[in-house]
């Protein structure tokens, strides 16, 4: 087992910046790799090895600290790739070998090392969701490989098929295995763009599609029960309920869009935002019920409209993941309190709004615009999977017509 940690060596001279270095521990050997990166002690969090950017830091210093953070991530990715390649060979290696490889700027090639670098590159250009998706997939891939590097030449159709079977043995459904296959294919496509030699058609034997799933929606009376549920004394559940209702009142706004709403997105009683999924700009009028929820959260000092994310503290993407999981867990608890057969999640608010609008004869075009879909065909597919009540009614009517005829 090898561990890597970034540390700060404080300067012996007062008020002078310290030096950042990587500490490597392998087989009880401890080695250091010093960088050319320097910052003050108050700009470094030694507990989680992260750069601190305070609210009073000037813009020029913020840019400098941001570049330090990126450089550290680059170095960490290179070290992980080096260790992964050593491990894949199966031969013994030392902490000194790791340091020598790092200082020699050895080119590391393989699926794992390439993905590490790709994740870092995605973070640099602001593609956080893509980086997170690749990180999740890489963890899964490393479980299959036992933590070892995989040369591009080994990424054959047989190898990928084995990965799919590994995922199925872990109990994943076809949509989940397809998710990991599509992410791996995305990594491979980027490697091909950079002239890496990949075996021909490695994904020919695995499933890459998306099966239709049963969409979950609840009727209007259930939404009203969620709204009216007495949650006095349980602030966590009340917070989750309010987020759910905010999503419903804003035409099924997704949680990621809710979380990243800023106060500046509100003007003259209208929320204007761009969907993170499609980049489509939407305008939502703030109804009295919506305003009541906003007011219930009280005033917060951050730039965000709702107190889901904060300007300081953890990275906002990490804050988002933590908040999403916490709110979703509490929404599910509310569903159980109400005895709902449908598993209640944040996304149910979106499904519910679309289904209720459809059942109240709101036009397909209007629903499509309201939900920020790319086309009406997307909305039609969405609604067809949500509600079969019209088809069921037609079936019942036909059966009643048959019962009404006299048997000969």
């Amino acid at each position: 087992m090898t561990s890597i940690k970034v540390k700060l060596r404080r300067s012996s001279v007062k008020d002078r910046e310290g030096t950042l270095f990587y500490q490597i521990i392998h087989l009880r050997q401890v080695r250091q790799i010093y960088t050319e990166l320097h910052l003050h002690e108050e700009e470094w969090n030694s507990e989680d090895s992260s750069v601190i950017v305070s609210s009073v830091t000037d813009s020029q210093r913020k840019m400098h600290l941001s570049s330090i953070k990126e450089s550290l991530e680059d170095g960490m990715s290179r070290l992980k790739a080096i260790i992964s390649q050593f491990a894949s060979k199966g031969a013994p290696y030392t902490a000194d070998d790791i340091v020598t490889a790092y200082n020699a700027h050895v080119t590391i090639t393989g699926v794992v090392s390439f993905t590490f670098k790709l994740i870092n590159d995605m973070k640099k250009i602001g593609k956080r969701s893509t980086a997170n998706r690749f990180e999740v997939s890489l963890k899964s891939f490393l479980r299959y490989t036992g933590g070892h590097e995989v040369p591009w030449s080994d990424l054959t159709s047989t190898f990928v098929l084995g990965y799919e079977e590994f995922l199925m043995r872990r109990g994943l459904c076809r949509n989940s295995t397809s998710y990991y296959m599509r992410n791996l294919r995305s990594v491979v496509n980027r490697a091909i763009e950079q002239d890496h030699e990949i075996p021909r058609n490695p994904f020919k034997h695995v499933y890459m599609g998306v099966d239709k799933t049963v969409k979950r929606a609840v009727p209007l009376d259930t939404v009203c029960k969620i709204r009216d549920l007495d949650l006095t004394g349980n602030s966590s559940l009340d917070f989750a309920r309010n987020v759910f209702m905010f999503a419903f009142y804003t035409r099924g706004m997704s949680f990621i869009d809710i979380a990243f709403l800023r106060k500046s997105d509100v003007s003259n009683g209208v929320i204007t935002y761009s969907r993170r999924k499609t980049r489509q700009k939407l305008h939502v009028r703030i109804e009295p019920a919506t305003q009541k929820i906003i007011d219930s959260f009280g005033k917060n000092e951050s730039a965000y409209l709702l107190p889901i994310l904060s300007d300081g503290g953890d990275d906002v993407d990490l804050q988002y993941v933590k908040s999403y999981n916490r709110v979703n867990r509490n929404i599910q608890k509310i569903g159980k309190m109400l005895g709902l057969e449908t598993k209640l999640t944040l996304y149910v608010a979106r499904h519910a709004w679309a289904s209720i609008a459809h059942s109240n004869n709101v036009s397909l075009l209007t629903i499509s615009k309201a939900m920020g879909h790319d086309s009406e065909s997307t909305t039609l597919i969405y609604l067809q999977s949500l509600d079969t009540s019209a088809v069921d009614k037609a079936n019942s009517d036909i059966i009643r017509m048959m019962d009404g005829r006299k048997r000969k």
Side-chain angles (χ1 to χ4, degrees):
M1 182 67 180
T2 307
S3 69
I4 316 168
K5 191 171 183 179
V6 184
K7 292 192 170 187
L8 176 68
R9 181 179 180 180
R10 298 175 179 82
S11 173
S12 58
V13 180
K14 187 179 179 181
D15 296 329
R16 180 174 291 183
E17 294 177 326
T19 304
L20 290 166
F21 67 93
Y22 298 101
Q23 177 180 276
I24 301 163
I25 303 177
H26 177 71
L27 299 178
R28 298 184 181 180
Q29 291 181 325
V30 182
R31 297 292 184 271
Q32 295 84 31
I33 299 176
Y34 281 88
T35 72
E36 297 297 323
L37 306 174
H38 309 279
L39 42 70
H40 295 291
E41 187 175 347
E42 61 271 18
E43 294 173 326
W44 182 249
N45 186 333
S46 59
E47 291 186 4
D48 61 3
S49 299
S50 63
V51 178
I52 297 173
V53 182
S54 69
S55 57
V56 297
T57 305
D58 63 59
S59 58
Q60 188 173 358
R61 187 64 180 176
K62 282 182 179 179
M63 290 178 63
H64 174 68
L65 294 177
S66 178
S67 67
I68 287 178
K69 183 179 178 182
E70 290 178 359
S71 297
L72 289 175
E73 289 174 349
D74 275 339
M76 187 66 76
S77 293
R78 285 190 57 227
L79 283 168
K80 287 179 179 179
I82 288 168
I83 292 166
S84 180
Q85 189 178 56
F86 275 130
S88 69
K89 294 178 180 177
Y93 63 96
T94 66
D96 288 323
D97 292 330
I98 298 171
V99 174
T100 299
Y102 183 89
N103 291 331
H105 297 283
V106 175
T107 301
I108 306 299
T109 59
V111 181
V112 175
S113 55
F114 181 85
T115 308
F116 270 127
K117 185 178 184 305
L118 183 60
I119 290 167
N120 199 36
D121 290 343
M122 291 298 103
K123 288 180 178 178
K124 281 184 178 179
I125 63 175
K127 297 285 187 180
R128 293 281 178 173
S129 60
T130 303
N132 291 340
R133 183 160 52 85
F134 287 157
E135 279 184 326
V136 170
S137 297
L138 180 58
K139 287 178 182 178
S140 168
F141 189 77
L142 285 171
R143 280 195 290 269
Y144 172 55
T145 67
H148 295 161
E149 176 64 280
V150 176
W152 289 114
S153 59
D154 288 353
L155 196 70
T156 62
S157 59
T158 302
F159 180 93
V160 176
L161 179 61
Y163 177 35
E164 183 188 49
E165 291 179 348
F166 166 80
L167 294 172
M168 289 191 291
R169 286 197 302 270
R170 293 177 65 87
L172 275 67
C173 66
R174 284 219 313 171
N175 277 351
S176 295
T177 62
S178 176
Y179 169 82
Y180 289 111
M181 292 301 133
R182 295 196 308 273
N183 285 338
L184 180 58
R185 181 179 60 182
S186 183
V187 170
V188 168
N189 287 342
R190 285 171 167 82
I192 292 172
E193 289 174 358
Q194 298 183 26
D195 297 325
H196 289 279
E197 293 186 7
I198 314 294
R200 186 177 179 182
N201 201 0
F203 300 97
K204 92 192 241 190
H205 297 305
V206 298
Y207 180 67
M208 306 285 285
V210 180
D211 289 338
K212 285 188 176 181
T213 57
V214 178
K215 301 293 184 179
R216 292 186 292 270
V218 294
L220 185 59
D221 64 337
T222 299
V223 177
C224 291
K225 287 178 181 178
I226 295 170
R227 178 197 64 188
D228 299 334
L229 183 64
D230 185 3
L231 295 173
T232 304
N234 196 323
S235 59
S236 296
L237 294 185
D238 186 50
F239 182 88
R241 185 257 306 279
N242 285 341
V243 171
F244 182 93
M245 293 307 302
F246 183 91
F248 183 80
Y249 290 148
T250 53
R251 309 186 320 228
M253 188 184 296
S254 65
F255 182 74
I256 191 167
D257 291 325
I258 292 172
F260 284 92
L261 282 178
R262 292 182 171 269
K263 294 173 181 175
S264 57
D265 294 330
V266 178
S267 179
N268 298 321
V270 175
I271 298 172
T272 301
Y273 72 102
S274 295
R275 283 201 69 201
R276 290 202 159 221
K277 186 174 182 179
T278 64
R279 300 298 180 188
Q280 185 175 352
K281 182 168 283 190
L282 298 176
H283 307 276
V284 183
R285 186 173 65 193
I286 299 177
E287 302 293 339
T290 318
Q291 187 62 53
K292 184 178 179 181
I293 288 180
I294 295 173
D295 295 340
S296 73
F297 289 121
K299 293 183 179 180
N300 66 81
E301 300 300 322
S302 77
Y304 297 103
L305 180 63
L306 304 184
I308 296 172
L309 307 177
S310 62
D311 295 322
D314 294 336
D315 180 273
V316 289
D317 293 293
L318 179 60
Q319 289 184 55
Y320 167 76
V321 172
K322 289 180 178 178
S323 297
Y324 175 82
N325 292 334
R326 182 173 58 253
V327 173
N328 227 21
R329 282 196 304 269
N330 288 327
I331 284 291
Q332 290 175 28
K333 289 178 183 178
I334 291 172
K336 291 178 181 178
M337 290 172 66
L338 292 172
L340 302 182
E341 293 183 5
T342 299
K343 182 181 178 181
L344 198 62
T345 67
L346 286 165
Y347 212 64
V348 170
R350 183 170 176 82
H351 290 317
W353 191 92
S355 179
I356 294 167
H358 180 54
S359 63
N360 281 274
N361 301 316
V362 176
S363 72
L364 184 64
L365 176 60
T366 301
I367 296 174
S368 181
K369 287 183 177 180
M371 304 194 74
H373 284 158
D374 291 327
S375 67
E376 289 183 47
S377 60
T378 302
T379 309
L380 184 60
I381 295 170
Y382 191 85
L383 290 172
Q384 284 174 341
S385 65
L386 278 175
D387 187 11
T388 61
S389 59
V391 179
D392 291 337
K393 183 179 183 302
N395 188 43
S396 297
D397 290 344
I398 291 170
I399 293 172
R400 280 198 297 271
M401 288 168 62
M402 293 175 64
D403 290 341
R405 289 177 176 266
K406 292 182 180 180
R407 297 177 183 273
K408 294 183 179 180

